[in-house]
Amino acid sequence: MDNWRKSSYSGPDDGNECVEIANTRTRVAVRDSKAPARATLSFPAAAFASFLDGLKRQEPEG
């Protein structure tokens, strides 16, 4: 996968402290931005979308 991208929340001070994602029509890959040559995780696109939806619905702690 060549289209790796970081979160838009990654600024210049913490840009190396995040994950990157790359996606195709059927898969989403995730890797550590500090070690891009190491292993990646790959998920079916629908499962990753469900995961993100769950995170968005989660109530903040506090």
Side-chain angles (χ1 to χ4, degrees), residues 3-59:
N3 57 342
W4 292 99
R5 62 188 190 277
K6 292 182 189 179
S7 168
S8 59
Y9 291 98
S10 296
D13 296 329
D14 62 355
N16 290 328
E17 301 294 330
C18 65
V19 295
E20 298 174 316
I21 67 166
N23 59 315
T24 67
R25 292 174 87 182
T26 59
R27 306 289 298 176
V28 175
V30 181
R31 70 180 182 187
D32 184 344
S33 64
K34 296 182 302 293
R38 289 192 174 176
T40 62
L41 299 172
S42 179
F43 304 94
F48 194 75
S50 293
F51 170 71
L52 292 178
D53 287 341
L55 289 176
K56 291 174 186 175
R57 286 191 305 266
Q58 192 174 32
E59 291 191 24

